[in-house]
Amino acid sequence: MLKRNKFKLIFTLSGLSIPTLSFANDLKVNDPVGISFWLISIIMVAATVFFLMSVNSVNGKWRTSMIIAALVTLVAGIHYFYMREIWVTTGQSPTVYRYIDWLITVPLQLIEFYLILAASATIALPVFWRLFVFSIVMLLSGYLGETDFINPYLGLVVGILAWIAILYELFLGEAAKVCAEKAPASVQQSFSVMKWIVTLGWAIYPLGYIFGYLVDGIDAATLNFIYNIADLVNKIIFCLAIWACAVKVSETDYKSK
Ligand SMILES: *C/C=C(C)/C=C/C=C(C)/C=C/C1=C(C)CCCC1(C)C
């Protein structure tokens, strides 16, 4: 009798626990976009832990860069959980969440250029502000264009101009000069990887704006799959480059002491 009740209890409890598990149940084996959302959520979480743990293995001046890297993957990871949920329940592009994610992570990523230079050389504060302000202008004009607050073509053009201003800073502007003249070799290497990610990897997003929104050239599934893979490179590889030079410079500093 007792045994039977126990069994019943377990059965009821497991029955109760099913609805709480349904959060993960709606992922379908034949939905590569949904799976990519999920996979990247987890990779972002793992990367966050990795970058946070690395804070203790780099020198003091490099800690801020590592913490910001962890914030980038943390913020992206949280957004990916929500974006996956929207995708699997509605089949629609989670555009608002993408933009909110970009609005937080893109300025943080651009600030990293300033931070890795500031950790090893003297660099003027306006470099920081230029990177920050241009990134906000780029994203805001894209958002206003995509939501029809302003002419979508105007949004695209202003956004691309702001992106070009960022590229100018990184290839020819003060940031580029400080990097070439004062930064150690490992920082120069990482800076180079990062600036090419901003050039080539980031080109995916305005292309997505054009072909996913302006001319309706590709469907939501393809667009989101491409965005997801792009984010993987543009956030994880980008932050790993920061981690690589932070660790390397910290090691040489340690040896020279
Ligand atoms: C992790 C997310 C990243 C690195 C997102 C980057 C987003 C952009 C570089 C967006 C750029 C855009 C333009 C250059 C023109 C206007 C439309 C945007 C906002 C898609």
Side-chain angles (χ1 to χ4, degrees):
M1 212 32 205
L2 190 72
K3 246 186 190 166
R4 216 194 217 159
N5 277 344
K6 242 187 194 167
F7 181 74
K8 216 175 176 183
L9 184 68
I10 291 167
F11 190 76
T12 327
L13 280 180
S14 63
L16 276 177
S17 70
I18 285 171
T20 61
L21 285 177
S22 67
F23 177 66
N25 273 350
D26 43 22
L27 204 54
K28 304 280 192 302
V29 281
N30 59 357
D31 175 13
V33 182
I35 292 172
S36 71
F37 271 118
W38 182 258
L39 199 66
I40 293 167
S41 317
I42 306 302
I43 294 174
M44 292 291 178
V45 171
T48 304
V49 175
F50 177 79
F51 292 133
L52 279 182
M53 305 292 285
S54 302
V55 171
N56 290 322
S57 53
V58 299
N59 279 355
K61 307 180 277 183
W62 286 93
R63 297 219 167 112
T64 315
S65 311
M66 292 318 307
I67 292 169
I68 300 285
L71 290 183
V72 167
T73 51
L74 174 71
V75 169
I78 293 169
H79 281 89
Y80 263 86
F81 281 114
Y82 281 92
M83 291 198 289
R84 180 205 58 88
E85 191 66 7
I86 289 167
W87 174 258
V88 293
T89 47
T90 70
Q92 287 180 351
S93 289
T95 308
V96 182
Y97 286 88
R98 282 231 190 257
Y99 270 97
I100 297 173
D101 171 75
W102 295 351
L103 198 63
I104 301 170
T105 57
V106 170
L108 288 178
Q109 284 181 266
L110 284 174
I111 283 168
E112 290 280 22
F113 283 99
Y114 173 84
L115 289 176
I116 66 168
L117 293 176
S120 51
T122 35
I123 178 162
L125 199 60
V127 174
F128 172 98
W129 286 113
R130 280 200 292 272
L131 291 170
F132 182 77
V133 170
F134 289 145
S135 65
I136 301 285
V137 170
M138 176 181 82
L139 298 169
L140 211 56
S141 63
Y143 184 72
L144 294 178
E146 197 146 349
T147 49
D148 267 329
F149 273 108
I150 59 172
N151 180 298
Y153 290 91
L154 178 69
L156 176 70
V157 170
V158 175
I160 287 182
L161 287 177
W163 180 37
I164 290 173
I166 293 167
L167 293 175
Y168 178 85
E169 183 70 44
L170 301 179
F171 279 86
L172 299 164
E174 205 175 336
K177 279 184 200 126
V178 171
C179 180
E181 287 161 15
K182 302 185 200 158
S186 52
V187 173
Q188 289 187 2
Q189 261 165 25
S190 292
F191 190 97
S192 171
V193 170
M194 289 155 66
K195 82 179 179 194
W196 282 109
I197 287 178
V198 171
T199 313
L200 302 175
W202 286 22
I204 292 284
Y205 306 99
L207 287 175
Y209 183 100
I210 294 168
F211 293 107
Y213 169 59
L214 282 185
V215 300
D216 230 5
I218 49 174
D219 57 289
T222 315
L223 180 71
N224 280 283
F225 192 76
I226 293 174
Y227 272 163
N228 289 0
I229 302 302
D231 276 2
L232 202 57
V233 173
N234 296 338
K235 289 192 165 67
I236 303 282
I237 309 281
F238 187 94
C239 290
L240 277 175
I242 296 161
W243 167 82
C245 71
V247 168
K248 230 180 217 154
V249 175
S250 299
E251 269 172 10
T252 25
D253 280 4
Y254 179 73
K255 274 181 203 142
S256 66
K257 265 178 201 147

Tab-separated table of all heavy atoms in Angstrom, residues 72 76 99 101-102 105-106 109 138-143 146 155-160 163 198 202-203 205-206 209 227 231 234-235, ligand 1:
chain	number	residue	atom	x	y	z
A	72	VAL	N	29.986	41.261	-22.782
A	72	VAL	CA	29.517	41.106	-24.167
A	72	VAL	C	28.850	39.739	-24.339
A	72	VAL	O	27.724	39.631	-24.835
A	72	VAL	CB	30.686	41.262	-25.168
A	72	VAL	CG1	30.285	40.799	-26.566
A	72	VAL	CG2	31.155	42.716	-25.203
A	76	ALA	N	24.808	38.922	-24.720
A	76	ALA	CA	24.394	38.196	-25.926
A	76	ALA	C	23.708	36.882	-25.540
A	76	ALA	O	22.678	36.527	-26.115
A	76	ALA	CB	25.597	37.933	-26.820
A	99	TYR	N	18.284	44.136	-31.927
A	99	TYR	CA	18.760	45.511	-31.832
A	99	TYR	C	19.141	45.883	-30.406
A	99	TYR	O	20.111	46.583	-30.185
A	99	TYR	CB	17.719	46.485	-32.398
A	99	TYR	CG	17.926	46.736	-33.883
A	99	TYR	CD1	17.210	46.038	-34.841
A	99	TYR	CD2	18.877	47.661	-34.323
A	99	TYR	CE1	17.413	46.253	-36.203
A	99	TYR	CE2	19.091	47.878	-35.675
A	99	TYR	CZ	18.354	47.177	-36.608
A	99	TYR	OH	18.571	47.382	-37.946
A	101	ASP	N	20.234	43.837	-28.160
A	101	ASP	CA	21.516	43.154	-27.943
A	101	ASP	C	22.656	43.955	-28.576
A	101	ASP	O	23.662	44.224	-27.941
A	101	ASP	CB	21.448	41.745	-28.539
A	101	ASP	CG	22.805	41.055	-28.552
A	101	ASP	OD1	23.256	40.632	-27.482
A	101	ASP	OD2	23.420	40.964	-29.635
A	102	TRP	N	22.459	44.375	-29.840
A	102	TRP	CA	23.496	45.148	-30.529
A	102	TRP	C	23.778	46.452	-29.805
A	102	TRP	O	24.923	46.862	-29.666
A	102	TRP	CB	23.066	45.476	-31.969
A	102	TRP	CG	22.919	44.295	-32.866
A	102	TRP	CD1	23.284	43.004	-32.583
A	102	TRP	CD2	22.369	44.273	-34.186
A	102	TRP	NE1	23.000	42.196	-33.662
A	102	TRP	CE2	22.440	42.938	-34.651
A	102	TRP	CE3	21.819	45.246	-35.022
A	102	TRP	CZ2	21.987	42.566	-35.915
A	102	TRP	CZ3	21.369	44.878	-36.283
A	102	TRP	CH2	21.453	43.557	-36.722
A	105	THR	N	25.952	45.418	-26.832
A	105	THR	CA	27.223	44.715	-27.071
A	105	THR	C	28.157	45.421	-28.062
A	105	THR	O	29.368	45.347	-27.906
A	105	THR	CB	26.977	43.269	-27.565
A	105	THR	OG1	26.181	43.301	-28.750
A	105	THR	CG2	26.287	42.433	-26.514
A	106	VAL	N	27.595	46.105	-29.051
A	106	VAL	CA	28.463	46.732	-30.065
A	106	VAL	C	29.295	47.886	-29.473
A	106	VAL	O	30.511	47.917	-29.659
A	106	VAL	CB	27.653	47.156	-31.312
A	106	VAL	CG1	28.487	48.022	-32.252
A	106	VAL	CG2	27.160	45.912	-32.050
A	109	GLN	N	32.022	46.340	-27.451
A	109	GLN	CA	33.088	45.753	-28.262
A	109	GLN	C	34.013	46.835	-28.817
A	109	GLN	O	35.226	46.663	-28.860
A	109	GLN	CB	32.499	44.919	-29.403
A	109	GLN	CG	31.970	43.578	-28.927
A	109	GLN	CD	31.416	42.756	-30.073
A	109	GLN	OE1	30.226	42.792	-30.352
A	109	GLN	NE2	32.260	42.027	-30.755
A	138	MET	N	25.175	54.467	-35.583
A	138	MET	CA	25.008	53.380	-36.564
A	138	MET	C	23.778	52.529	-36.235
A	138	MET	O	22.933	52.262	-37.093
A	138	MET	CB	26.273	52.516	-36.586
A	138	MET	CG	26.219	51.309	-37.478
A	138	MET	SD	27.759	50.362	-37.409
A	138	MET	CE	27.509	49.386	-35.918
A	139	LEU	N	23.666	52.125	-34.970
A	139	LEU	CA	22.589	51.216	-34.579
A	139	LEU	C	21.238	51.922	-34.524
A	139	LEU	O	20.228	51.386	-34.959
A	139	LEU	CB	22.914	50.582	-33.234
A	139	LEU	CG	24.181	49.731	-33.249
A	139	LEU	CD1	24.591	49.352	-31.846
A	139	LEU	CD2	23.971	48.494	-34.106
A	140	LEU	N	21.254	53.156	-34.012
A	140	LEU	CA	20.005	53.902	-33.878
A	140	LEU	C	19.401	54.200	-35.241
A	140	LEU	O	18.193	54.043	-35.444
A	140	LEU	CB	20.285	55.211	-33.113
A	140	LEU	CG	19.145	55.737	-32.255
A	140	LEU	CD1	18.702	54.679	-31.251
A	140	LEU	CD2	19.567	57.012	-31.535
A	141	SER	N	20.241	54.602	-36.204
A	141	SER	CA	19.692	54.916	-37.521
A	141	SER	C	19.181	53.642	-38.192
A	141	SER	O	18.153	53.671	-38.874
A	141	SER	CB	20.724	55.635	-38.393
A	141	SER	OG	21.808	54.786	-38.623
A	142	GLY	N	19.881	52.510	-37.970
A	142	GLY	CA	19.384	51.243	-38.508
A	142	GLY	C	18.032	50.891	-37.905
A	142	GLY	O	17.104	50.496	-38.612
A	143	TYR	N	17.904	51.081	-36.611
A	143	TYR	CA	16.654	50.741	-35.930
A	143	TYR	C	15.509	51.651	-36.388
A	143	TYR	O	14.407	51.186	-36.691
A	143	TYR	CB	16.837	50.853	-34.410
A	143	TYR	CG	15.617	50.430	-33.648
A	143	TYR	CD1	15.258	49.094	-33.570
A	143	TYR	CD2	14.803	51.379	-33.027
A	143	TYR	CE1	14.122	48.698	-32.894
A	143	TYR	CE2	13.667	50.987	-32.337
A	143	TYR	CZ	13.332	49.651	-32.272
A	143	TYR	OH	12.200	49.268	-31.611
A	146	GLU	N	14.531	50.594	-39.818
A	146	GLU	CA	13.850	49.295	-39.868
A	146	GLU	C	12.449	49.364	-39.258
A	146	GLU	O	11.606	48.515	-39.527
A	146	GLU	CB	14.696	48.229	-39.144
A	146	GLU	CG	14.281	46.829	-39.484
A	146	GLU	CD	15.451	45.836	-39.513
A	146	GLU	OE1	16.630	46.244	-39.478
A	146	GLU	OE2	15.180	44.646	-39.580
A	155	GLY	N	18.071	55.568	-43.165
A	155	GLY	CA	18.598	54.815	-42.022
A	155	GLY	C	19.823	54.013	-42.424
A	155	GLY	O	20.837	53.985	-41.713
A	156	LEU	N	19.745	53.375	-43.593
A	156	LEU	CA	20.858	52.562	-44.075
A	156	LEU	C	22.086	53.436	-44.359
A	156	LEU	O	23.203	53.110	-43.943
A	156	LEU	CB	20.443	51.806	-45.339
A	156	LEU	CG	21.539	50.979	-46.006
A	156	LEU	CD1	21.894	49.759	-45.162
A	156	LEU	CD2	21.103	50.519	-47.402
A	157	VAL	N	21.849	54.560	-45.060
A	157	VAL	CA	22.970	55.413	-45.463
A	157	VAL	C	23.664	56.012	-44.239
A	157	VAL	O	24.900	55.949	-44.119
A	157	VAL	CB	22.477	56.530	-46.426
A	157	VAL	CG1	23.574	57.557	-46.646
A	157	VAL	CG2	22.056	55.916	-47.755
A	158	VAL	N	22.888	56.548	-43.308
A	158	VAL	CA	23.493	57.126	-42.103
A	158	VAL	C	24.239	56.049	-41.314
A	158	VAL	O	25.359	56.255	-40.843
A	158	VAL	CB	22.420	57.809	-41.216
A	158	VAL	CG1	23.025	58.292	-39.904
A	158	VAL	CG2	21.786	58.981	-41.957
A	159	GLY	N	23.625	54.873	-41.225
A	159	GLY	CA	24.262	53.758	-40.509
A	159	GLY	C	25.593	53.377	-41.147
A	159	GLY	O	26.585	53.168	-40.452
A	160	ILE	N	25.616	53.298	-42.466
A	160	ILE	CA	26.846	52.914	-43.161
A	160	ILE	C	27.917	53.999	-43.006
A	160	ILE	O	29.103	53.692	-42.820
A	160	ILE	CB	26.554	52.592	-44.647
A	160	ILE	CG1	25.824	51.238	-44.717
A	160	ILE	CG2	27.828	52.547	-45.470
A	160	ILE	CD1	25.497	50.746	-46.093
A	163	TRP	N	29.450	53.562	-39.696
A	163	TRP	CA	30.316	52.378	-39.744
A	163	TRP	C	31.654	52.740	-40.404
A	163	TRP	O	32.726	52.360	-39.927
A	163	TRP	CB	29.593	51.259	-40.497
A	163	TRP	CG	30.318	49.957	-40.653
A	163	TRP	CD1	31.137	49.358	-39.734
A	163	TRP	CD2	30.293	49.092	-41.791
A	163	TRP	NE1	31.615	48.160	-40.228
A	163	TRP	CE2	31.107	47.975	-41.492
A	163	TRP	CE3	29.648	49.137	-43.036
A	163	TRP	CZ2	31.297	46.919	-42.395
A	163	TRP	CZ3	29.823	48.086	-43.923
A	163	TRP	CH2	30.649	46.998	-43.601
A	198	VAL	N	35.547	43.677	-37.585
A	198	VAL	CA	34.649	44.834	-37.706
A	198	VAL	C	34.407	45.178	-39.187
A	198	VAL	O	33.336	45.664	-39.560
A	198	VAL	CB	35.218	46.053	-36.931
A	198	VAL	CG1	34.421	47.309	-37.213
A	198	VAL	CG2	35.224	45.757	-35.442
A	202	TRP	N	31.303	42.269	-39.762
A	202	TRP	CA	30.187	43.189	-39.535
A	202	TRP	C	29.433	43.513	-40.817
A	202	TRP	O	28.310	44.000	-40.760
A	202	TRP	CB	30.664	44.486	-38.859
A	202	TRP	CG	31.000	44.311	-37.407
A	202	TRP	CD1	31.334	43.147	-36.768
A	202	TRP	CD2	31.041	45.338	-36.400
A	202	TRP	NE1	31.574	43.382	-35.439
A	202	TRP	CE2	31.412	44.717	-35.185
A	202	TRP	CE3	30.808	46.718	-36.412
A	202	TRP	CZ2	31.553	45.441	-33.992
A	202	TRP	CZ3	30.950	47.439	-35.232
A	202	TRP	CH2	31.316	46.794	-34.026
A	203	ALA	N	30.035	43.267	-41.976
A	203	ALA	CA	29.356	43.565	-43.247
A	203	ALA	C	28.071	42.735	-43.394
A	203	ALA	O	27.147	43.117	-44.118
A	203	ALA	CB	30.293	43.293	-44.419
A	205	TYR	N	25.699	42.457	-41.341
A	205	TYR	CA	24.504	43.107	-40.774
A	205	TYR	C	23.846	44.102	-41.734
A	205	TYR	O	22.628	44.025	-41.935
A	205	TYR	CB	24.828	43.740	-39.416
A	205	TYR	CG	25.446	42.743	-38.450
A	205	TYR	CD1	26.816	42.688	-38.251
A	205	TYR	CD2	24.660	41.823	-37.762
A	205	TYR	CE1	27.393	41.768	-37.385
A	205	TYR	CE2	25.223	40.896	-36.899
A	205	TYR	CZ	26.590	40.868	-36.713
A	205	TYR	OH	27.164	39.953	-35.868
A	206	PRO	N	24.615	45.032	-42.346
A	206	PRO	CA	23.955	45.867	-43.355
A	206	PRO	C	23.431	45.054	-44.542
A	206	PRO	O	22.383	45.381	-45.096
A	206	PRO	CB	25.037	46.856	-43.797
A	206	PRO	CG	26.314	46.391	-43.209
A	206	PRO	CD	25.971	45.516	-42.046
A	209	TYR	N	20.199	43.807	-43.498
A	209	TYR	CA	19.233	44.925	-43.542
A	209	TYR	C	18.701	45.081	-44.966
A	209	TYR	O	17.506	45.236	-45.182
A	209	TYR	CB	19.956	46.197	-43.081
A	209	TYR	CG	19.118	47.452	-42.978
A	209	TYR	CD1	18.641	47.889	-41.744
A	209	TYR	CD2	18.842	48.229	-44.096
A	209	TYR	CE1	17.913	49.068	-41.635
A	209	TYR	CE2	18.114	49.407	-44.001
A	209	TYR	CZ	17.649	49.820	-42.767
A	209	TYR	OH	16.937	50.984	-42.659
A	227	TYR	N	22.822	35.443	-39.354
A	227	TYR	CA	23.110	36.341	-38.219
A	227	TYR	C	23.725	35.557	-37.051
A	227	TYR	O	24.662	36.009	-36.414
A	227	TYR	CB	21.831	37.008	-37.721
A	227	TYR	CG	21.458	38.299	-38.411
A	227	TYR	CD1	20.166	38.815	-38.299
A	227	TYR	CD2	22.381	39.024	-39.156
A	227	TYR	CE1	19.793	40.001	-38.919
A	227	TYR	CE2	22.016	40.211	-39.774
A	227	TYR	CZ	20.724	40.696	-39.656
A	227	TYR	OH	20.372	41.863	-40.252
A	231	ASP	N	27.341	36.182	-35.495
A	231	ASP	CA	27.533	36.600	-34.102
A	231	ASP	C	28.571	35.739	-33.391
A	231	ASP	O	29.320	36.207	-32.536
A	231	ASP	CB	26.210	36.528	-33.324
A	231	ASP	CG	25.372	37.782	-33.524
A	231	ASP	OD1	25.803	38.663	-34.284
A	231	ASP	OD2	24.288	37.872	-32.919
A	234	ASN	N	31.797	37.134	-34.659
A	234	ASN	CA	31.963	38.555	-34.332
A	234	ASN	C	31.997	38.838	-32.833
A	234	ASN	O	32.451	39.894	-32.413
A	234	ASN	CB	30.839	39.371	-34.986
A	234	ASN	CG	30.917	39.297	-36.501
A	234	ASN	OD1	31.972	39.013	-37.057
A	234	ASN	ND2	29.819	39.531	-37.169
A	235	LYS	N	31.502	37.918	-32.047
A	235	LYS	CA	31.578	38.124	-30.601
A	235	LYS	C	32.625	37.210	-29.959
A	235	LYS	O	33.504	37.678	-29.241
A	235	LYS	CB	30.215	37.909	-29.951
A	235	LYS	CG	29.249	39.028	-30.290
A	235	LYS	CD	28.009	38.983	-29.436
A	235	LYS	CE	27.244	40.290	-29.540
A	235	LYS	NZ	26.676	40.502	-30.895
B	1	LIG	C1	27.351	41.065	-31.923
B	1	LIG	C2	26.643	41.941	-32.767
B	1	LIG	C3	27.233	42.782	-33.666
B	1	LIG	C4	28.705	42.839	-33.833
B	1	LIG	C5	26.355	43.605	-34.456
B	1	LIG	C6	26.755	44.512	-35.351
B	1	LIG	C7	25.822	45.272	-36.103
B	1	LIG	C8	26.123	46.134	-37.122
B	1	LIG	C9	27.526	46.369	-37.536
B	1	LIG	C10	25.031	46.815	-37.827
B	1	LIG	C11	25.199	47.663	-38.850
B	1	LIG	C12	24.175	48.388	-39.631
B	1	LIG	C13	24.641	49.267	-40.600
B	1	LIG	C14	26.086	49.424	-40.925
B	1	LIG	C15	23.726	50.116	-41.424
B	1	LIG	C16	22.348	50.266	-40.820
B	1	LIG	C17	21.805	48.970	-40.406
B	1	LIG	C18	22.670	48.220	-39.382
B	1	LIG	C19	22.289	48.720	-38.004
B	1	LIG	C20	22.254	46.765	-39.533
